[in-house]
Amino acid sequence: MALTNQEIADIFNNIADMLEIQGENRFKFLSYRRAGETLGELPRDLQAYVDDGTLTDIPGIGKAISDKIKELLETDKLEFYEKLRAQVPESILQIKGINGVGPKKAKLFWNELNITTVESLQTAASEGKLRELPGMGAKSEQKIIESIQALSRNRGRTPIGNAKQAADTILAELVALPQVEEAMIAGSIRRGKTTIGDVDILAVSDDAEPIMAHFVGMGRVERILGQGPTKSSIELRTGLQVDLRVLPRERFGTALQYFTGSKDHNVRIREIALNKGYSLNEHALRPIDDAGNMLDESHYVYCGTEEDVYEKIGLPWIAPELREDQGEIEAAIAGKLPNLITAEDILSDLHMHTTWSDGTLSIREMAEAARERGKTHIVITDHSKRNIVANGLDGERLLQQQAEVRAVNEEMGDDFHVLHGVEMDILEDGDMDLSDDILAQLDFVVASLHFGLTQDRALITKRLLNALNNPHVDCIGHMTGRLIGTRPSADVDFDAVFEAALETDTVLEINANPARLDLDAQYARRAHQLGIKLAINTDAHSIKMMDMLPYGILTARRAWAEPENVINTWAFDRFYAWIQSRA
Ligand code: DGT
Ligand code: CA
Ligand code: CA
Ligand code: ZN
């Protein structure tokens, strides 16, 4: 199967970065970057545009780029890209991804100090060599050291957004093979962890060989790590490892249970199985006699489904997101597993951006996209004025925007509601970016930290407490400001913040953007157990980001959240009455 739009978009983004690092002219690399952005957002597969001859009708796709798209679709490769990769070490792209670096600095380090890897950058920084370079100083050098440290804490792990997208693409390809009866993603992706070590896929079939051959022969494979009759491992061009196991139908349940993990959960499950007289592994429940001897294969109990595995050892099925040995076994035994929230429960999205600040779509377009996705109400929350690069709004522009929001709300009819809010910056000194008289005119106010995230705990916490205690603030957006794998969380005193959130009845957001997933599940769990209201918001700046909601749902489920804990499950009337009852 051909490369996906996103995979092709990634290649164009890499080309743009490599050209910029090489010092190519702006127009050239920007055209690739723009193409990369456009391709990632297209509603149909690129092949469909090729088929009906409309590829060059897409804005930003001229002859040169359309030829490259066709080459990639036909051959899975691009000669231009391969040549570029021979000139610019690909490891430099990782340097460019470090917070505080970017392509210009990556080029500088490469040209001046011959730095091509994160490791050599770290060495140079710790030896104080970076500060000597033009445009650099001790402070920016220190920032790079800290960013690399944050990165290495996640070394080798991929954010779930990237891993799941790659896994879903491969899964779809496998499911389409005639030999595959069923296939599923197991491991940490199924449990919804924020970062993924490797991808684990299971497929049901009695004819593994052609499946394995297809798997290791896919265009996106960089290297085959192992190929066997029941298990193969590959490394993708992105560096991500994918394991595929093929097994017969009657073993699917035990295998899925085993390879979903976590290891800690499975240790507990095996203990329980032993108490029931079974030795459990990925193949079967193997009965043990009174003398402690395992009976032979003719006595093995096979389980085609996971439900079956749990039932045979006397437990209800446990949702994968809970399987961390964090109390789920005890809850299952006591019959007290939570009624976890699902995507279908979500009726609203309370944080999103439009072309008024740094979004790509109009208010009307966002409203329609949300309605198509089954929502009944949204809040438009563009950035406030402190966020200059995001074209943040001052009081005057906000009030102009309000007129448009009200008009779109009218146009959308009675069964869909567009409310007006803002994502207001909590300033570095702890003040709010907008005055109370402006905030009082808005329906819903999200307050967020975007700057000064490295301040000490006392300052960060004071800023959050100021926001929580402002009577107009309804919700705290992405509280810790972390960017998974690139920027550490701000140092927040959660006890103090949770106490204030509870007292002021302020909502805490789980930001669904897979680069953020902030609050993290462990904090979201503590928050709702204290009685704090949660929201799951996409913070969408585009249609594509609206479709990132599942990552927020996974995180909420890992936090043991039930529908009642999350205000996006509320019908419009209930939500509106609640915001009206507040300042
Ligand atoms: P990852 O890949 O680091 O994000 O995390 P997982 O959970 O996907 O771990 P992985 O890929 O090493 O293994 C997948 C699952 O297979 C794991 O969650 C539990 C099971 N598993 C793998 N190796 C072992 C093992 O040595 N003992 C036990 N009990 N389970 C294992
Ligand atoms: Ca894994
Ligand atoms: Ca694995
Ligand atoms: Zn936002």
Side-chain angles (χ1 to χ4, degrees):
M1 204 190 286
L3 297 174
T4 63
N5 292 8
Q6 189 57 50
E7 286 170 323
I8 293 176
D10 290 343
I11 289 172
F12 284 131
N13 287 327
N14 285 351
I15 290 174
D17 292 340
M18 287 171 162
L19 290 174
E20 186 171 4
I21 289 167
Q22 271 192 329
E24 264 293 349
N25 87 51
R26 212 177 137 70
F27 295 106
K28 196 158 174 194
F29 67 73
L30 279 183
S31 72
Y32 284 101
R33 192 160 296 148
R34 232 173 267 129
E37 279 167 17
T38 308
L39 298 187
E41 294 280 341
L42 290 177
R44 298 192 296 158
D45 279 343
L46 276 163
Q47 188 62 49
Y49 298 90
V50 174
D51 292 344
D52 56 23
T54 53
L55 195 54
T56 49
D57 297 346
I58 302 170
I61 309 296
K63 171 92 170 74
I65 288 185
S66 97
D67 285 347
K68 292 189 172 66
I69 292 172
K70 287 180 192 158
E71 187 181 334
L72 279 163
L73 286 173
E74 279 163 24
T75 67
D76 282 346
K77 288 220 175 354
L78 180 61
E79 210 180 301
F80 177 72
Y81 182 44
E82 299 305 326
K83 277 192 192 145
L84 208 51
R85 292 212 291 177
Q87 292 162 15
V88 182
E90 217 163 359
S91 53
I92 290 191
L93 297 186
Q94 280 167 355
I95 292 185
K96 181 228 83 180
I98 292 171
N99 200 34
V101 181
K104 277 201 197 70
K105 295 246 171 79
K107 173 173 166 28
L108 178 75
F109 301 153
W110 185 31
N111 292 349
E112 299 296 321
L113 299 172
N114 201 24
I115 289 170
T116 58
T117 64
V118 175
E119 288 71 30
S120 55
L121 180 66
Q122 186 166 27
T123 308
S126 60
E127 288 170 354
K129 286 183 184 156
L130 302 185
R131 67 180 72 183
E132 314 289 336
L133 298 173
M136 291 288 298
K139 212 172 157 189
S140 47
E141 186 179 74
Q142 182 57 27
K143 195 174 166 203
I144 288 174
I145 290 174
E146 282 165 16
S147 303
I148 294 175
Q149 280 166 351
L151 205 65
S152 71
R153 260 175 254 130
N154 280 314
R155 192 189 295 283
R157 300 192 65 83
T158 304
I160 187 171
N162 306 343
K164 188 165 186 306
Q165 207 164 39
D168 284 341
T169 304
I170 295 171
L171 185 74
E173 204 162 305
L174 292 174
V175 167
L177 296 176
Q179 297 85 4
V180 174
E181 290 174 34
E182 186 180 354
M184 268 183 83
I185 298 168
S188 49
I189 294 185
R190 184 160 181 244
R191 302 199 311 282
K193 281 194 69 167
T194 53
T195 64
I196 304 303
D198 67 10
V199 176
D200 302 282
I201 302 180
L202 302 182
V204 174
S205 176
D206 294 323
D207 187 9
E209 204 187 303
I211 302 172
M212 292 304 185
H214 182 93
F215 178 67
V216 301
M218 295 183 301
R220 54 186 74 77
V221 174
E222 175 80 34
R223 214 187 338 237
I224 301 171
L225 304 171
Q227 183 177 4
T230 61
K231 183 192 167 185
S232 297
S233 293
I234 54 171
E235 186 183 313
L236 302 179
R237 285 184 192 160
T238 53
L240 183 63
Q241 183 183 325
V242 185
D243 297 344
L244 171 66
R245 292 176 175 84
V246 180
L247 39 114
R249 164 67 65 194
E250 70 270 16
R251 298 185 183 198
F252 191 53
T254 43
L256 186 58
Q257 198 288 321
Y258 182 91
F259 290 110
T260 296
S262 66
K263 276 180 194 149
D264 292 343
H265 175 86
N266 286 356
V267 166
R268 298 286 310 274
I269 292 295
R270 277 201 307 274
E271 280 169 15
I272 293 173
L274 270 181
N275 289 335
K276 295 266 169 195
Y278 293 114
S279 164
L280 173 62
N281 70 4
E282 64 265 49
H283 303 294
L285 287 153
R286 301 166 301 174
I288 296 172
D289 66 18
D290 293 342
N293 299 314
M294 212 187 304
L295 303 185
D296 69 47
E297 220 167 306
S298 66
H299 298 273
Y300 285 9
V301 179
Y302 296 101
C303 299
T305 67
E306 256 189 348
E307 283 80 355
D308 215 10
V309 179
Y310 284 96
E311 194 199 308
K312 292 246 161 46
I313 62 170
L315 291 179
W317 181 80
I318 299 172
E321 296 90 340
L322 300 181
R323 298 183 197 170
E324 300 290 348
D325 191 22
Q326 296 285 327
E328 76 281 8
I329 308 267
E330 291 73 11
I333 292 169
K336 290 192 171 142
L337 284 169
N339 162 37
L340 293 179
I341 190 164
T342 68
E344 287 69 47
D345 295 320
I346 301 290
L347 301 179
S348 64
D349 196 345
L350 314 175
H351 179 173
M352 65 180 65
H353 300 267
T354 71
T355 47
W356 280 82
S357 66
D358 59 348
T360 59
L361 298 175
S362 67
I363 296 169
R364 172 76 190 237
E365 288 167 324
M366 289 304 265
E368 280 173 358
R371 178 154 70 186
E372 279 166 23
R373 283 159 183 73
K375 307 292 176 285
T376 61
H377 52 295
I378 58 171
V379 186
I380 299 294
T381 57
D382 274 303
H383 286 287
S384 66
K385 63 182 190 295
R386 165 66 180 88
N387 215 322
I388 297 165
V389 284
N391 193 24
L393 279 64
D394 60 12
E396 195 181 322
R397 282 181 68 219
L398 259 176
L399 295 184
Q400 287 166 10
Q401 184 189 38
Q402 188 160 78
E404 186 178 326
V405 170
R406 300 296 184 229
V408 171
N409 182 50
E410 282 298 309
E411 291 162 24
M412 295 295 291
D414 290 338
D415 56 357
F416 191 87
H417 309 271
V418 188
L419 295 173
H420 189 221
V422 70
E423 180 182 21
M424 173 180 61
D425 257 88
I426 305 168
L427 301 178
E428 288 96 314
D429 63 4
D431 280 348
M432 300 299 114
D433 195 20
L434 295 166
S435 63
D436 282 352
D437 60 313
I438 295 291
L439 296 180
Q441 299 180 60
L442 301 171
D443 299 317
F444 189 79
V445 174
V446 178
S448 303
L449 302 170
H450 290 113
F451 301 96
L453 290 165
T454 55
Q455 290 173 349
D456 64 30
R457 174 178 290 213
L459 261 172
I460 290 280
T461 305
K462 178 179 147 249
R463 290 166 72 191
L464 288 168
L465 293 180
N466 285 356
L468 286 160
N469 286 307
N470 180 300
H472 304 291
V473 169
D474 301 295
C475 177
I476 302 291
H478 49 70
M479 188 194 290
T480 76
R482 75 166 172 187
L483 293 176
I484 292 166
T486 65
R487 186 167 76 199
S489 298
D491 189 2
V492 175
D493 178 347
F494 285 98
D495 288 334
V497 168
F498 286 171
E499 193 183 311
L502 189 61
E503 191 160 302
T504 58
D505 198 19
T506 308
V507 180
L508 301 184
E509 173 182 271
I510 295 173
N511 192 290
N513 181 341
R516 292 188 180 273
L517 298 175
D518 184 9
L519 292 175
D520 186 82
Q522 58 169 323
Y523 299 118
R525 185 173 176 191
R526 253 170 75 192
H528 79 74
Q529 279 175 343
L530 289 167
I532 295 167
K533 294 182 175 68
L534 298 175
I536 306 172
N537 294 324
T538 64
D539 193 1
H541 289 64
S542 64
I543 296 231
K544 193 170 125 194
M545 286 177 75
M546 243 186 222
D547 290 326
M548 302 294 177
L549 181 65
Y551 299 104
I553 302 287
L554 278 171
T555 302
R557 289 168 64 89
R558 284 177 70 78
W560 293 53
E562 305 194 32
E564 194 50 34
N565 304 127
V566 177
I567 65 168
N568 310 70
T569 65
W570 294 1
F572 175 73
D573 289 345
R574 180 176 176 196
F575 176 70
Y576 196 68
W578 181 71
I579 56 177
Q580 290 292 97
S581 74
R582 296 170 59 80

